[in-house]
Amino acid sequence: MDLGKDSGIVKVRYYWYGEQDEVLVEQDDSTATGTIVAPVAMIGSVEQEPAFGGLLYVPHDTIGPMRLLAVAEISRGRLGTRSVFDEVIVSVTPPTALTAIDFETEKPLQLGRAGQSSAFGHVDSMGKVFELPVVGDFADGITRRIGSPASGTSYESSSPEVIKVLPGGLLRIVGNGKATIIVANRGKQASLDIDVNVNDEPNQPPIADAGTNKSVKSGSRVKLSGLKSRDPEGEALYYSWSQIRGSKVPLLDANNSEASFLAPAVSEARTYRFKLRVTDKKGADSVPALVDVTVEP
């Protein structure tokens, strides 16, 4: 926000997010629960020095790329208020050494009929994509989530014909049998044995296509299209859209092939990023596809 252009600023709220976290800021109550995933780190007012700013602490349990999102509330008199935002990427490095890596899951992990019927909220099936909840214990006594490769974590599968490693720290079930996933970060390693016993009906995973990046004007209705997504076997697809960059916008039809939102008012060009994942009828997932929408004044 520009104090020279954006007159009438009432307050500025600051939030910390992981770079790929879903954006769910809907109110400024740091004690709120439910859809709030990031509490307000600071609320800036005109009385502060500098105005609407101040000392902002980096969350102690973070690591890797973090987004610092600032949302300014601007008064429009009888017309109410509007919001503008800005954000930067901050690379966070813990001040102490990594001492151990662990997995917040059952050990060994059973996927399919031999174990739980659903892993991490998803029905286990051939082609299912999932993430492991990987954490690191550090010398300062703090446990940090290090599942993202952006935090320095790498993955290796002992049996790629059972569990395949995908970009972004994602894993895909591709066959039945046993596999060991080896995770490494900062010179430390840990391994997790996985036993897969799912329906072995052949199934090629679908491919998500979120469309091309676009620029739009404030106030316009923006359509996000996943119509070019496809399944190799020609099966119907289930769609899931989410927002991972920019201040939160109400996203309509987030579970349809085409979603939409109203481009908010901005003082200068701002980028909103959306993620699309598609799933076929047999439960196989795509790798997420991303699309950027730049909103201009």
Side-chain angles (χ1 to χ4, degrees):
M1 56 288 302
D2 187 334
L3 296 182
K5 297 179 181 178
D6 297 317
S7 59
I9 294 180
V10 177
K11 60 183 175 182
V12 180
R13 303 188 304 276
Y14 296 86
Y15 303 87
W16 286 105
Y17 284 99
E19 187 182 22
Q20 295 299 319
D21 287 351
E22 189 171 333
V23 177
L24 288 176
V25 173
E26 294 180 352
Q27 41 185 303
D28 59 2
D29 182 4
S30 61
T31 64
T33 59
T35 60
I36 306 300
V37 297
V40 178
M42 184 178 70
I43 298 178
S45 65
V46 69
E47 293 83 11
Q48 292 172 268
E49 181 58 41
F52 303 104
L55 191 60
L56 188 66
Y57 291 96
V58 178
H60 65 276
D61 58 350
T62 58
I63 184 174
M66 295 290 294
R67 291 199 330 251
L68 175 58
L69 173 67
V71 181
E73 184 178 309
I74 298 176
S75 173
R76 297 187 297 169
R78 294 181 178 179
L79 297 178
T81 61
R82 69 179 180 92
S83 296
V84 296
F85 82 95
D86 196 9
E87 60 186 343
V88 294
I89 300 294
V90 179
S91 182
V92 179
T93 301
T96 54
L98 175 66
T99 58
I101 298 174
D102 197 6
F103 303 90
E104 292 184 326
T105 183
E106 295 181 3
K107 305 178 184 70
L109 179 60
Q110 305 284 336
L111 300 180
R113 294 187 296 269
Q116 67 271 38
S117 60
S118 176
F120 315 126
H122 301 290
V123 176
D124 302 334
S125 59
M126 200 70 73
K128 174 59 65 178
V129 173
F130 64 99
E131 299 176 68
L132 286 178
V134 184
V135 296
D137 294 327
F138 287 77
D140 57 3
I142 297 174
T143 298
R144 297 173 171 89
R145 296 192 176 278
I146 60 171
S148 168
S151 67
T153 297
S154 63
Y155 293 80
E156 180 182 349
S157 173
S158 66
S159 302
E161 68 278 7
V162 177
I163 298 290
K164 182 178 180 180
V165 176
L166 303 176
L170 300 175
L171 304 174
R172 171 175 278 145
I173 299 174
V174 294
N176 285 312
K178 297 180 183 295
T180 299
I181 300 299
I182 300 95
V183 173
N185 189 313
R186 291 166 168 78
K188 302 295 182 181
Q189 282 191 350
S191 61
L192 176 68
D193 294 329
I194 301 179
D195 185 6
V196 180
N197 185 7
V198 299
N199 190 328
D200 58 2
E201 180 181 359
N203 184 27
Q204 293 294 314
I207 300 169
D209 187 331
T212 57
N213 298 338
K214 63 181 70 177
S215 295
V216 300
K217 291 292 186 180
S218 295
S220 60
R221 174 62 63 180
V222 184
K223 181 181 290 187
L224 305 175
S225 178
L227 290 174
K228 291 186 178 180
S229 301
R230 61 192 185 278
D231 180 74
E233 287 96 358
E235 294 183 353
L237 295 174
Y238 300 96
Y239 299 81
S240 178
W241 292 92
S242 59
Q243 182 188 348
I244 59 171
R245 183 175 176 184
S247 60
K248 178 68 175 178
V249 296
L251 191 59
L252 302 179
D253 300 318
N255 293 318
N256 290 346
S257 58
E258 293 183 312
S260 65
F261 68 96
L262 186 65
V266 294
S267 300
E268 56 186 88
R270 290 287 180 254
T271 298
Y272 294 76
R273 178 169 295 167
F274 300 89
K275 179 173 68 176
L276 172 65
R277 175 174 284 177
V278 296
T279 303
D280 67 18
K281 283 189 173 182
K282 296 177 182 176
D285 295 314
S286 71
V287 173
L290 304 177
V291 63
D292 286 347
V293 178
T294 300
V295 178
E296 300 176 345

